Amino acid sequence: MRKKMLGFLLCLAMAASMLAGCGKKAEEPAAPEVNPAPAEEESTEAAGEAQGEKQKVVAVFNTNLGDKSFSDLVWAGVTKAAEDFNLEVKAIELMGDATKQEPTLVELCESGEWDVIVAGTFNLKEAIEKVAADFPEQKFIVYDTELDFSTGDYGNCCSVMCKQNEGAFLAGALAAMQTKEEGDYTNGENIVGFVGGGENSAINDFLVGYIEGVKYVDPECKVLFSYVGDFKNTAKAKELAIAQYQQGADIVFQVASSAGLGVLDAAKAENRIAIGVDQDQALLMEDNDPEISAHIMTSVVKKLDVLIYDKLDAYVNGSITWGVHENAGLSEQGMDITDNDYTRAIVSEETLSKIDEIREKVISGEIKVKSAITMSTEELNEIKDSAAK
């Protein structure tokens, strides 16, 4: 009996001990041991990765995707970065509606959702500057325009712009050489053309470079030029290009985003030559309409996809520098003209060798191409006036 009582009391003691232990764990949960890195060494990217979060990037386009030109080029850089760096990305297309520019950027900033806003072009510059100043904590990667960092403002931004005037200079030189050649698409008249989208500093920079390139090769070659008024009206762009072809131009350079597809179509319809822009448009068109590709002599390509990819790479790895602007021309491999099978079906090896020589002279600084970005209105008008002489 005594042994049974002792056993009973021992069981009670053990049960009480277990209950006490359980109560203690519920009231005082044990915290895991953490050895955090010093605050100054921890980046937002590292913090996001530790929590299993993706960095979020939104790209804002003044026009629209699917243009087989400028917007698609920028988006290609963003999406490649998303794939390589595990980013969450989104595109917003403003479809050329200026009234949506500032409200859209404000809404994105106020949401606090986006780590980086990628936005650009001269058309969006004013809205970007205002909103970036109002939201200094929001990061902006700005493309195809230049912010003024000299005052110390925009420490939350960086901007990058291709020297489109240098690429256009090569296109102008090639056009001036080719228009005098006998061929299936040339008419023997010493006239070339240019169709721009909406008139702004970037489009005029292309135009200035193109005129300068033409006149470098042949001061007597005339350059016809006109503007669509926007970057969407394909029918009007085609109409303007046909008008130039009918005035004697046998080569027309288009810088008009989606609208510029009308110029390419006009080259096919009139059995003449077009020069594409931003991407290698001959290669882009060959699956859907190889006949159009056959009429695209070359394209002035911007390497914005590479430049934006590099900026996002630097952001993710923590090496990006804010508050600075970068220009990229021929020497920085930010611009060039294409040389493909369609080019060589139209242009002789001798002519291409001359273009290579001109390229090297631009890179070395022997040829200095003027830029509409920095010139006065009076000087720009003088160059425009010289185009038809």
Side-chain angles (χ1 to χ4, degrees), residues 1-206:
M1 181 72 177
R2 186 177 180 182
K3 288 182 179 181
K4 289 184 179 181
M5 181 62 70
L6 286 173
F8 178 74
L9 292 174
L10 182 58
C11 287
L12 285 177
M14 291 175 65
S17 176
M18 291 175 65
L19 289 171
C22 290
K24 183 176 182 181
K25 285 182 180 178
E27 295 171 5
E28 300 175 11
E33 291 185 10
V34 179
N35 295 308
E40 63 272 14
E41 294 181 9
E42 183 178 355
S43 68
T44 57
E45 291 78 14
E49 290 175 3
Q51 298 169 14
E53 298 175 354
K54 290 184 177 182
Q55 292 292 292
K56 301 183 70 174
V57 177
V58 59
V60 180
F61 298 96
N62 183 58
T63 53
N64 59 284
L65 297 176
D67 60 359
K68 296 186 181 298
S69 182
F70 185 84
S71 296
D72 286 355
L73 184 69
V74 173
W75 186 236
V78 173
T79 53
K80 187 176 188 305
E83 180 180 346
D84 291 352
F85 310 131
N86 194 32
L87 305 174
E88 181 179 335
V89 298
K90 176 182 178 180
I92 295 178
E93 303 161 83
L94 302 181
M95 306 302 291
D97 188 346
T99 65
K100 293 181 179 179
Q101 293 175 356
E102 188 176 327
T104 298
L105 293 174
V106 168
E107 182 179 351
L108 293 172
C109 292
E110 287 181 339
S111 74
E113 182 179 359
W114 302 99
D115 297 292
V116 180
I117 297 174
V118 177
T121 74
F122 277 85
N123 290 328
L124 274 171
K125 179 182 178 181
E126 185 177 343
I128 292 170
E129 288 177 334
K130 184 177 187 309
V131 176
D134 291 341
F135 294 88
E137 299 303 315
Q138 175 66 61
K139 300 300 186 185
F140 287 82
I141 293 175
V142 182
Y143 62 85
D144 206 48
T145 190
E146 179 176 359
L147 302 187
D148 183 7
F149 295 104
S150 63
T151 61
D153 296 328
Y154 314 121
N156 53 330
C157 305
C158 64
S159 60
V160 59
M161 185 169 65
C162 295
K163 296 179 182 178
Q164 53 261 329
N165 57 323
E166 293 186 353
F169 185 91
L170 294 184
L174 178 56
M177 292 180 196
Q178 194 62 33
T179 192
K180 293 181 288 188
E181 295 289 330
E182 292 185 6
D184 295 336
Y185 306 138
T186 50
N187 57 17
E189 296 188 43
N190 207 17
I191 304 173
V192 298
F194 176 98
V195 174
E199 184 175 4
N200 60 38
S201 296
I203 301 302
N204 283 331
D205 207 29
F206 275 105

Side-chain angles (χ1 to χ4, degrees), residues 137-365:
E137 299 303 315
Q138 175 66 61
K139 300 300 186 185
F140 287 82
I141 293 175
V142 182
Y143 62 85
D144 206 48
T145 190
E146 179 176 359
L147 302 187
D148 183 7
F149 295 104
S150 63
T151 61
D153 296 328
Y154 314 121
N156 53 330
C157 305
C158 64
S159 60
V160 59
M161 185 169 65
C162 295
K163 296 179 182 178
Q164 53 261 329
N165 57 323
E166 293 186 353
F169 185 91
L170 294 184
L174 178 56
M177 292 180 196
Q178 194 62 33
T179 192
K180 293 181 288 188
E181 295 289 330
E182 292 185 6
D184 295 336
Y185 306 138
T186 50
N187 57 17
E189 296 188 43
N190 207 17
I191 304 173
V192 298
F194 176 98
V195 174
E199 184 175 4
N200 60 38
S201 296
I203 301 302
N204 283 331
D205 207 29
F206 275 105
L207 176 61
V208 166
Y210 186 63
I211 294 171
E212 289 242 298
V214 169
K215 298 297 183 178
Y216 176 82
V217 169
D218 184 358
E220 302 302 317
C221 184
K222 293 183 179 180
V223 183
L224 308 177
F225 63 90
S226 51
Y227 302 91
V228 178
D230 60 45
F231 296 90
K232 299 182 296 181
N233 195 334
T234 306
K236 184 175 181 181
K238 181 176 181 178
E239 177 185 324
L240 293 173
I242 289 175
Q244 292 184 10
Y245 288 132
Q246 292 179 347
Q247 291 175 64
D250 46 22
I251 300 169
V252 175
F253 176 26
Q254 71 88 4
V255 188
S257 190
S258 294
L261 297 176
V263 176
L264 305 184
D265 194 38
K268 181 181 79 169
E270 297 293 310
N271 200 37
R272 292 291 181 250
I273 296 172
I275 297 175
V277 73
D278 295 328
Q279 299 193 65
D280 189 333
Q281 293 194 300
L283 298 185
L284 284 174
M285 299 295 293
E286 64 181 351
D287 287 340
N288 294 329
D289 196 333
E291 191 178 349
I292 283 184
S293 296
H295 289 267
I296 302 174
M297 179 172 66
T298 188
S299 295
V300 177
V301 290
K302 285 186 171 185
K303 304 296 180 65
L304 269 177
D305 55 338
V306 177
L307 295 173
I308 290 172
Y309 176 91
D310 289 345
K311 290 295 183 186
L312 289 171
D313 183 6
Y315 172 75
V316 170
N317 66 41
S319 63
I320 194 168
T321 302
W322 302 105
V324 296
H325 175 74
E326 174 188 350
N327 286 311
L330 296 181
S331 62
E332 297 86 4
Q333 299 183 352
M335 293 293 303
D336 212 332
I337 61 173
T338 58
D339 177 2
N340 53 42
D341 290 343
Y342 297 105
T343 304
R344 291 176 177 268
I346 298 172
V347 184
S348 69
E349 186 67 41
E350 180 183 0
T351 298
L352 290 174
S353 294
K354 291 178 181 177
I355 293 298
D356 287 340
E357 293 173 6
I358 292 173
R359 180 187 289 104
E360 291 306 313
K361 288 180 179 179
V362 174
I363 290 173
S364 69

